[in-house]
Each structure stands twice: as structure tokens, then as C-alpha cells.
């Protein structure tokens, strides 16, 4: 029952002098364990608050770079083959991510965008009218700075740019 008080406080977060209801939750994912924990927590909140979830994956690298990293290239690969292979890989990972959650009693939409993750996440939050962004503290990206080692470089950048409140989910959440 300790969570219900925290959820009530979250539901009535005050912004610009008045309460804000949480109806739309954005969950960015890089398919890491941290992102999965954040999605699990967002689903719990969505069930309790009757909120809709938008799951967003941002492809920040070129299709060629992703294909090389994932071993998707062969000598006969064309640019179109590479794009299709990467697109298929992302679809598989989204399916795996969604299959790992209990999506009963929630409405969830997912999409993939290209670009700089922190900028795309912030812009998408505005586009879908997100009331809250739920993120893992650290993702799968490289660590550029000491502070990024604690919360992740994309997470840190989103905190700086976000037009809406952000809830960070600790690594040990749910353990």
C-alpha cells in the first residue's frame, strides 16, 4: 500500500500552480534492461491512473552502422537490404519488449523515429501531449561524462530538454 500514496502524489503533481493529471506517459526505449524496468513501472502507473502509454524507440545511428554492429551485413547487401534488415531487427526488439509486459488494462502505442535521441524524445513528448516521461536511469549508450555514468547520457540530456516531468526508474526497481 506504500506505493498508492506515491502514486496519488504523482497523479496530482503541481505545475504552474495547479494539479496536473497523468493521462499520457511517454516511455523511450533502447531495449536495455533499464528501459524494460521503466516500461514495467510505466505500465503499473498507467493501470492505476488510466493513462495511455507511448513507447518510443529512437534510432540514432545510420542503418549501416547498426547493421555492422549487429552482424546483419553480407557481401551482397544493398542499401535497401541494410535498411530492411535494421527495420526488421527493431520490429523484433519492439515485439520482444512488448511480450515481456502485462499489457492488460492499458492502451499502448509504439513508434520508431530517427535522430538525436534526447531531441527526438523531447519533441515527441510535446507531439503526443505527454504528461510524464518514464525512463531508466541508464541505457545502452556510451558514457561521455562522469554524471552520465550515474544516469546515462541520453537520460541526462532529456532531463535538461524535457518539456514535461520525468520519472527515473532505478536499476534495482522490482528486484
Amino acid at each position: 500500500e506504500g506505493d498508492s500514496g506515491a502514486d496519488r502524489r504523482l497523479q496530482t503533481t503541481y505545475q504552474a500552480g495547479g494539479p496536473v493529471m497523468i493521462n499520457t506517459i511517454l516511455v523511450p526505449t533502447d531495449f536495455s534492461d533499464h528501459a524494460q524496468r521503466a516500461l514495467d513501472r510505466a505500465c503499473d502507473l498507467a493501470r492505476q491512473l488510466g493513462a495511455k502509454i507511448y513507447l518510443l524507440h529512437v534510432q540514432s545511428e545510420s542503418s549501416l552502422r547498426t547493421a555492422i554492429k549487429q552482424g546483419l551485413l553480407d557481401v551482397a547487401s544493398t542499401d535497401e537490404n541494410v535498411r530492411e534488415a535494421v527495420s526488421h531487427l527493431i520490429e523484433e526488439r519492439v515485439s520482444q519488449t512488448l511480450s515481456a509486459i502485462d499489457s492488460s488494462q492499458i492502451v499502448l502505442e509504439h513508434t520508431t523515429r530517427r535522430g538525436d535521441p534526447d531531441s527526438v524524445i523531447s519533441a515527441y513528448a510535446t507531439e503526443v501531449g505527454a504528461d510524464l516521461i518514464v525512463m531508466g536511469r541508464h541505457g545502452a549508450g556510451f558514457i561521455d561524462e562522469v554524471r552520465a555514468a550515474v544516469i546515462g547520457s541520453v537520460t541526462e540530456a532529456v532531463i535538461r530538454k524535457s518539456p514535461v516531468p520525468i520519472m527515473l526508474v532505478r536499476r534495482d526497481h522490482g528486484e
Side-chain angles (χ1 to χ4, degrees):
E1 292 272 336
D3 279 344
S4 64
D7 293 335
R8 258 185 262 114
R9 284 189 302 276
L10 181 62
Q11 187 174 10
T12 57
T13 299
Y14 285 86
Q15 191 173 48
V20 176
M21 298 303 291
I22 306 295
N23 296 313
T24 306
I25 301 171
L26 172 58
V27 184
T29 185
D30 59 4
F31 309 116
S32 67
D33 290 341
H34 297 279
Q36 188 66 45
R37 282 186 202 88
L39 178 59
D40 292 343
R41 183 62 181 133
C43 288
D44 291 343
L45 281 173
R47 267 186 224 90
Q48 293 171 28
L49 303 175
K52 179 176 183 174
I53 293 179
Y54 287 88
L55 181 67
L56 172 66
H57 171 69
V58 181
Q59 184 183 348
S60 61
E61 299 177 329
S62 72
S63 293
L64 180 59
R65 176 170 278 178
T66 301
I68 291 169
K69 284 173 127 180
Q70 299 298 321
L72 301 175
L73 287 179
D74 66 33
V75 284
S77 293
T78 65
D79 288 349
E80 185 59 29
N81 295 136
V82 169
R83 278 191 295 279
E84 287 175 12
V86 170
S87 178
H88 182 72
L89 175 68
I90 291 169
E91 287 173 22
E92 282 180 6
R93 290 197 175 153
V94 167
S95 292
Q96 289 170 352
T97 297
L98 295 176
S99 71
I101 62 165
D102 174 11
S103 60
S104 63
Q105 303 171 346
I106 59 170
V107 177
L108 189 146
E109 261 184 48
H110 62 87
T111 192
T112 299
R113 300 277 171 99
R114 282 183 157 272
D116 177 48
D118 48 298
S119 297
V120 172
I121 291 165
S122 296
Y124 192 69
T126 299
E127 180 182 325
V128 299
D131 300 307
L132 178 70
I133 298 174
V134 178
M135 298 182 74
R137 282 182 50 183
H138 196 293
F142 292 106
I143 299 172
D144 299 322
E145 302 175 31
V146 173
R147 69 177 177 252
V150 177
I151 61 172
S153 58
V154 171
T155 302
E156 190 270 333
V158 171
I159 289 169
R160 284 187 283 111
K161 293 181 179 181
S162 177
V164 299
I166 298 172
M167 183 174 104
L168 297 181
V169 178
R170 293 186 326 249
R171 184 179 76 187
D172 60 352
H173 172 76
E175 290 180 357

